[in-house]
Amino acid sequence: MRLFARVLVAGAALGLVGAPAGASSVKIDQEKINHLFDGQLMPDDMVQVLSHVDVLVPSATIRKGAAAVPFETSSITLPALSIRQHDKTYDLYDFLALNRVAGLMILKDGKVVMEQYNLGINEQTRWLSASMIKSLTSTLVGVAIQDGHIGSVQDQVVKYLPALKGSGYDGVTVEQILQMRSGVRWDETYNDPKSDRRQVLEMQYRQQPGEFLTFMATLKRAHQPGTQYNYSTGETYLVGALLEAAVGKPVQDYLSEKLWQPLGMEQDGRWWVLSPEGPITAGGGYAATLRDYARLAKFYADKGVLNGQQLVPDAWFETATRSATPDKGYGYQWWTYDKPTDDPVHRGAFSARGVYGQSMYIHPESGVVIVILGAQSKTGGRMVVDYDAFHAAVLQALR
């Protein structure tokens, strides 16, 4: 039986297919998720896993509102693209086919220029965010500061997570974990069963309350806080736990209340959880539709203003999307374009990225937003046509 058929049979038996499910009712399929992390899925199976992650792993529901806010269609038509990369030229069709793009949505000034689905998915398909959702987690910190739940990004992490007192995170600020500059040692290697990233995945399988924070408290400090960048999904998970402690409710409920419902999402979102008591896996494991990801991206392009109301502190996005480490191009869980080697066409832009080809690209000055859902085979990426070369071609075409 093909992998997807097995997924559907298991999901149907649990009442999961076609309807949101409670986190406690999902039977974890470790084999499929391990194959996903190891980059060992056949192309069709990759699509089916990425589009059905919430029937494979326990997930919390982020409730949508009573009515969706529709997108307007732009009067602009995307002209033929010429994507230059080294000594080759590609077009739109090359980009979509060679990079295994399952979904593409392009907005100009908030209106839809292009909405394209491939590989069997459609506008109702919820797709895995991977680390693209890290940028939403960081934005929720800004919302919590605006609401008065968090004092500032200079607060100590242990103020909200006292279980980390005496650990490598004692003395680390909220800003430093947002910037991946805590100084705490972490191995992000997805396909190494001994890495810290895979150890946390094993905890997710066990679903034991409190196990994650206990593990993070054992990690040793490698550098002084604020001095070294080291990419760590574990630290974004810590941000999720911190948010939950600060706002006094599950992050999924806070997200639904503050953004998912007010933004007029079409579908409920789904977010993996570390245990039935939480927290959510704030650094990945989100599932939403292409259109709803685009609604988030538009909110980011609008710098956190919704219906005339500023939901994050003034200049939050200016700070969040500025690199803390000039040679790395990384801010508050955002990839930035302020390195000396970056193409000037991208200056002022910022992006959220996830493994297997997930991407949100926001260029506020031009009003261009590009959301890509990918089905590439490996966590390290297998794109043939560079995303930023595609982004640059779209910017040029729409200007």
Side-chain angles (χ1 to χ4, degrees), residues 117-196:
Y117 298 94
N118 307 302
L119 306 179
I121 80 166
N122 59 42
E123 67 276 5
Q124 296 182 334
T125 303
R126 283 195 289 250
W127 191 266
L128 180 68
S129 68
S131 292
M132 187 168 66
I133 210 64
K134 284 181 168 71
S135 305
L136 171 61
T137 298
S138 80
T139 301
L140 285 175
V141 172
V143 174
I145 291 173
Q146 186 77 347
D147 284 350
H149 298 301
I150 295 174
S152 80
V153 293
Q154 301 309 320
D155 285 356
Q156 300 281 307
V157 171
V158 295
K159 174 181 177 181
Y160 304 95
L161 298 174
L164 297 179
K165 286 183 178 179
S167 76
Y169 288 99
D170 204 340
V172 173
T173 66
V174 174
E175 182 174 61
Q176 287 164 346
I177 60 171
L178 287 173
Q179 297 169 335
M180 307 284 193
R181 299 196 309 151
S182 70
V184 175
R185 192 182 306 279
W186 174 270
D187 181 356
E188 182 74 8
T189 310
Y190 266 64
N191 60 0
D192 180 359
K194 297 181 180 179
S195 73
D196 297 311

Side-chain angles (χ1 to χ4, degrees), residues 28 109 160 310 399:
I28 300 173
D109 300 325
Y160 304 95
Q310 182 79 42
R399 278 177 169 169

Side-chain angles (χ1 to χ4, degrees), residues 381-398:
R382 285 295 186 271
M383 68 182 69
V384 176
V385 185
D386 183 75
Y387 276 23
D388 280 338
F390 173 71
H391 297 150
V394 172
L395 286 177
Q396 183 178 6
L398 294 183

Side-chain angles (χ1 to χ4, degrees), residues 179 181 228-230 323-331 334-340 342 353:
Q179 297 169 335
R181 299 196 309 151
Q228 296 286 331
Y229 166 85
N230 183 47
S323 177
T325 309
D327 62 333
K328 299 298 182 183
Y330 199 75
W334 287 103
W335 295 96
T336 66
Y337 293 85
D338 47 11
K339 302 192 303 297
D342 286 329
R353 304 173 192 167

Side-chain angles (χ1 to χ4, degrees), residues 238-303:
L238 275 185
V239 176
L242 186 153
L243 270 167
E244 191 161 291
V247 303
K249 65 178 66 175
V251 172
Q252 60 267 27
D253 294 345
Y254 191 61
L255 170 56
S256 175
E257 170 195 334
K258 302 300 295 188
L259 295 181
W260 211 251
Q261 294 190 34
L263 285 171
M265 300 304 191
E266 290 186 25
Q267 301 286 341
D268 291 341
R270 300 281 285 159
W271 211 337
W272 289 352
V273 292
L274 286 161
S275 83
E277 297 179 11
I280 44 84
T281 61
Y286 202 87
T289 66
L290 177 63
R291 288 178 181 174
D292 288 343
Y293 284 130
R295 287 181 174 91
L296 273 181
K298 180 181 181 300
F299 174 70
Y300 302 145
D302 292 337
K303 303 296 183 72

Side-chain angles (χ1 to χ4, degrees), residues 43 83-85 88-104 116 118-119 356-357 372-378 381-387 389-390:
I83 307 166
R84 293 290 301 168
Q85 183 173 306
K88 295 184 178 180
T89 301
Y90 301 95
D91 62 16
L92 172 67
Y93 307 98
D94 297 325
F95 176 79
L96 295 174
L98 295 174
N99 287 349
R100 287 187 54 77
V101 173
L104 170 66
Q116 176 67 36
N118 307 302
L119 306 179
Y356 317 118
I372 301 169
L373 304 181
Q376 296 165 22
S377 60
K378 297 290 191 290
R382 285 295 186 271
M383 68 182 69
V384 176
V385 185
D386 183 75
Y387 276 23
F390 173 71

